[in-house]
Amino acid sequence: MSVNDAEEAALLGLAPVAPSARERYGPHPSQVIDLYGPDGGPLVAVLHGGFWREAYDRVHLSPLAAALADGYGLRVALVEYRRVGGGGGWPGTFEDVGLALEHLRAAGEPRALAGHSAGGHLALWAASRALARCPVAAVSPVADLARAHGLGLSRGAVAELLGGPEHVAARLPEADPMRLPPPDPDTAPVVLLHGTEDADVPVELSRRYAAATGARLTELPGTGHYAPVTPGTAAFARLAEELARGA
């Protein structure tokens, strides 16, 4: 079994954790935010991955949200959004990230924003668009859409997100964090966490983003795609420390 397969099995083998509260930021069934942890705790927003597809929802990160709340005293907002095959893609997925962050901001700017994989891409996108004005932790992010498309990651997921291969070139300037202005390091400093053994999203993408933007990259030797979001791993502890520091 590969590193990635073993890590995926460990994450998906964890029992889902029900939130303490749920809020809506729109009428679509996917426009919801699950909340974990104490009222009044430092708020951390989390965007899940799954290559932007409807088949993958926020539930697989509910153990992470609960662990951050229980172990670090954070108020965690686990954001759902419309995804490809369920009303998302271009532009709905991007619109939902902005709407969710605006909804959370009504109670005060989140103290940190985290995103994993496709959610890491969305977190970087939000920071570049000044929709997030807080520290950002992008975990195993699809940080370079053009390169991910060129590599054909997850059977053409980038083309699906952007509405089809014929639209990729025209929409990359608005969707690819590599082509947007870098996040303001004073208001939205970025740290990238990426396993060197990640077979789903190669660490090369984070290296390219860090070189282009000056973001801080922490490589995790011997780590694949899922350990950083799996409670109980050393990689998760590293992420939790970053979020607690930012919050």
Side-chain angles (χ1 to χ4, degrees):
M1 181 180 290
S2 70
V3 170
N4 262 34
D5 289 344
E7 290 184 1
E8 182 179 17
L11 175 61
L12 298 183
L14 298 175
V17 182
S20 55
R22 179 170 293 161
E23 297 178 355
R24 302 202 60 84
Y25 64 90
H28 191 277
S30 291
Q31 292 174 319
V32 297
I33 301 171
D34 287 345
L35 296 165
Y36 296 78
D39 288 332
L43 180 64
V44 172
V46 176
L47 300 170
H48 71 85
F51 279 109
W52 312 281
R53 292 184 175 121
E54 177 70 10
Y56 308 99
D57 64 16
R58 68 196 181 283
V59 174
H60 72 278
L61 287 193
S62 64
L64 171 142
L68 290 173
D70 295 341
Y72 295 85
L74 301 174
R75 179 72 162 171
V76 180
L78 181 56
V79 176
E80 191 57 275
Y81 50 88
R82 288 173 291 168
R83 303 174 304 288
V84 175
W90 181 272
T93 295
F94 298 86
E95 292 172 345
D96 280 4
V97 171
L99 288 170
L101 292 175
E102 181 180 5
H103 174 89
L104 292 172
R105 197 176 297 120
E109 185 74 33
R111 300 285 291 277
L113 171 64
H116 175 240
S117 193
H121 155 259
L122 294 171
L124 296 175
W125 176 85
S128 285
R129 297 296 299 269
L131 299 173
R133 296 184 287 272
C134 59
V136 174
V139 185
S140 313
V142 189
D144 185 335
L145 283 192
R147 180 60 176 156
H149 179 61
L151 292 171
L153 294 189
S154 192
R155 306 175 307 282
V158 171
E160 290 181 4
L161 172 69
L162 299 182
E166 68 275 17
H167 295 298
V168 170
R171 291 172 177 171
L172 278 176
E174 297 181 67
D176 190 346
M178 286 282 284
R179 302 194 181 196
L180 293 168
D184 186 333
D186 293 324
T187 58
V190 172
V191 59
L192 309 167
L193 301 177
H194 212 130
T196 60
E197 302 304 311
D198 191 335
D200 287 3
V201 181
V203 67
E204 168 201 348
L205 272 62
S206 283
R207 290 171 179 165
R208 289 167 64 92
Y209 183 86
T213 66
R216 177 165 57 94
L217 170 59
T218 296
E219 296 189 18
L220 305 171
T223 300
H225 191 65
Y226 300 95
V229 292
T230 304
T233 68
F236 169 80
R238 187 64 180 269
L239 170 61
E241 290 166 6
E242 292 285 352
L243 293 177
R245 186 181 303 120

PDB file of all heavy atoms in Angstrom, residues 18 64 68 111-112 115 122 128 166 175 205 234:
ATOM      1  N   ALA A  18     -20.335  15.177  14.709  1.00  0.00           N
ATOM      2  CA  ALA A  18     -21.406  16.139  14.482  1.00  0.00           C
ATOM      3  C   ALA A  18     -20.999  17.516  15.005  1.00  0.00           C
ATOM      4  O   ALA A  18     -20.325  17.632  16.035  1.00  0.00           O
ATOM      5  CB  ALA A  18     -22.682  15.685  15.179  1.00  0.00           C
ATOM      6  N   LEU A  64     -11.061  16.538  12.021  1.00  0.00           N
ATOM      7  CA  LEU A  64     -10.076  17.615  12.140  1.00  0.00           C
ATOM      8  C   LEU A  64     -10.689  18.810  12.856  1.00  0.00           C
ATOM      9  O   LEU A  64     -10.067  19.368  13.782  1.00  0.00           O
ATOM     10  CB  LEU A  64      -9.589  18.026  10.751  1.00  0.00           C
ATOM     11  CG  LEU A  64      -8.715  19.274  10.656  1.00  0.00           C
ATOM     12  CD1 LEU A  64      -7.615  19.089   9.620  1.00  0.00           C
ATOM     13  CD2 LEU A  64      -9.541  20.512  10.287  1.00  0.00           C
ATOM     14  N   LEU A  68      -9.331  20.265  16.447  1.00  0.00           N
ATOM     15  CA  LEU A  68      -8.861  21.638  16.635  1.00  0.00           C
ATOM     16  C   LEU A  68      -9.653  22.348  17.728  1.00  0.00           C
ATOM     17  O   LEU A  68      -9.099  23.127  18.514  1.00  0.00           O
ATOM     18  CB  LEU A  68      -8.991  22.410  15.323  1.00  0.00           C
ATOM     19  CG  LEU A  68      -8.031  22.021  14.197  1.00  0.00           C
ATOM     20  CD1 LEU A  68      -8.399  22.770  12.915  1.00  0.00           C
ATOM     21  CD2 LEU A  68      -6.584  22.309  14.572  1.00  0.00           C
ATOM     22  N   ARG A 111      -9.798  34.542  12.453  1.00  0.00           N
ATOM     23  CA  ARG A 111      -8.415  34.760  12.877  1.00  0.00           C
ATOM     24  C   ARG A 111      -7.435  33.965  12.026  1.00  0.00           C
ATOM     25  O   ARG A 111      -6.239  34.240  12.020  1.00  0.00           O
ATOM     26  CB  ARG A 111      -8.274  34.374  14.354  1.00  0.00           C
ATOM     27  CG  ARG A 111      -9.170  35.184  15.285  1.00  0.00           C
ATOM     28  CD  ARG A 111      -8.657  36.595  15.498  1.00  0.00           C
ATOM     29  NE  ARG A 111      -7.426  36.564  16.267  1.00  0.00           N
ATOM     30  CZ  ARG A 111      -7.380  36.486  17.612  1.00  0.00           C
ATOM     31  NH1 ARG A 111      -8.510  36.397  18.299  1.00  0.00           N
ATOM     32  NH2 ARG A 111      -6.234  36.477  18.237  1.00  0.00           N
ATOM     33  N   ALA A 112      -7.936  32.962  11.303  1.00  0.00           N
ATOM     34  CA  ALA A 112      -7.092  32.186  10.389  1.00  0.00           C
ATOM     35  C   ALA A 112      -8.005  31.462   9.406  1.00  0.00           C
ATOM     36  O   ALA A 112      -9.181  31.209   9.692  1.00  0.00           O
ATOM     37  CB  ALA A 112      -6.211  31.188  11.148  1.00  0.00           C
ATOM     38  N   GLY A 115      -7.080  25.601   4.316  1.00  0.00           N
ATOM     39  CA  GLY A 115      -7.687  24.844   3.232  1.00  0.00           C
ATOM     40  C   GLY A 115      -6.812  23.678   2.865  1.00  0.00           C
ATOM     41  O   GLY A 115      -5.578  23.786   2.880  1.00  0.00           O
ATOM     42  N   LEU A 122      -8.610  27.175  -2.963  1.00  0.00           N
ATOM     43  CA  LEU A 122      -9.629  28.186  -2.718  1.00  0.00           C
ATOM     44  C   LEU A 122      -9.202  29.179  -1.639  1.00  0.00           C
ATOM     45  O   LEU A 122      -9.533  30.367  -1.725  1.00  0.00           O
ATOM     46  CB  LEU A 122     -10.946  27.507  -2.341  1.00  0.00           C
ATOM     47  CG  LEU A 122     -11.584  26.671  -3.457  1.00  0.00           C
ATOM     48  CD1 LEU A 122     -12.765  25.871  -2.907  1.00  0.00           C
ATOM     49  CD2 LEU A 122     -12.032  27.549  -4.626  1.00  0.00           C
ATOM     50  N   SER A 128      -5.763  36.099  -2.290  1.00  0.00           N
ATOM     51  CA  SER A 128      -5.350  36.973  -3.389  1.00  0.00           C
ATOM     52  C   SER A 128      -6.430  37.977  -3.757  1.00  0.00           C
ATOM     53  O   SER A 128      -6.130  39.095  -4.188  1.00  0.00           O
ATOM     54  CB  SER A 128      -4.989  36.141  -4.622  1.00  0.00           C
ATOM     55  OG  SER A 128      -3.734  35.519  -4.466  1.00  0.00           O
ATOM     56  N   GLU A 166     -12.249  23.881 -23.069  1.00  0.00           N
ATOM     57  CA  GLU A 166     -12.287  25.044 -23.954  1.00  0.00           C
ATOM     58  C   GLU A 166     -12.274  26.366 -23.204  1.00  0.00           C
ATOM     59  O   GLU A 166     -12.021  27.429 -23.784  1.00  0.00           O
ATOM     60  CB  GLU A 166     -13.519  24.976 -24.857  1.00  0.00           C
ATOM     61  CG  GLU A 166     -14.852  25.149 -24.154  1.00  0.00           C
ATOM     62  CD  GLU A 166     -15.419  23.868 -23.554  1.00  0.00           C
ATOM     63  OE1 GLU A 166     -14.645  22.895 -23.389  1.00  0.00           O
ATOM     64  OE2 GLU A 166     -16.620  23.839 -23.245  1.00  0.00           O
ATOM     65  N   ALA A 175      -8.858  32.542 -11.858  1.00  0.00           N
ATOM     66  CA  ALA A 175      -9.036  31.404 -10.953  1.00  0.00           C
ATOM     67  C   ALA A 175      -7.743  30.867 -10.372  1.00  0.00           C
ATOM     68  O   ALA A 175      -7.760  30.206  -9.329  1.00  0.00           O
ATOM     69  CB  ALA A 175      -9.747  30.272 -11.697  1.00  0.00           C
ATOM     70  N   LEU A 205       3.924  21.811  -6.923  1.00  0.00           N
ATOM     71  CA  LEU A 205       3.000  22.935  -7.080  1.00  0.00           C
ATOM     72  C   LEU A 205       3.200  23.966  -5.980  1.00  0.00           C
ATOM     73  O   LEU A 205       3.177  25.175  -6.240  1.00  0.00           O
ATOM     74  CB  LEU A 205       1.553  22.432  -7.096  1.00  0.00           C
ATOM     75  CG  LEU A 205       0.997  22.024  -8.466  1.00  0.00           C
ATOM     76  CD1 LEU A 205       1.771  20.859  -9.063  1.00  0.00           C
ATOM     77  CD2 LEU A 205      -0.484  21.698  -8.380  1.00  0.00           C
ATOM     78  N   ALA A 234       1.832  13.507  13.352  1.00  0.00           N
ATOM     79  CA  ALA A 234       2.771  14.610  13.575  1.00  0.00           C
ATOM     80  C   ALA A 234       2.502  15.758  12.610  1.00  0.00           C
ATOM     81  O   ALA A 234       2.663  16.935  12.967  1.00  0.00           O
ATOM     82  CB  ALA A 234       4.207  14.103  13.417  1.00  0.00           C
TER      83      ALA A 234
END
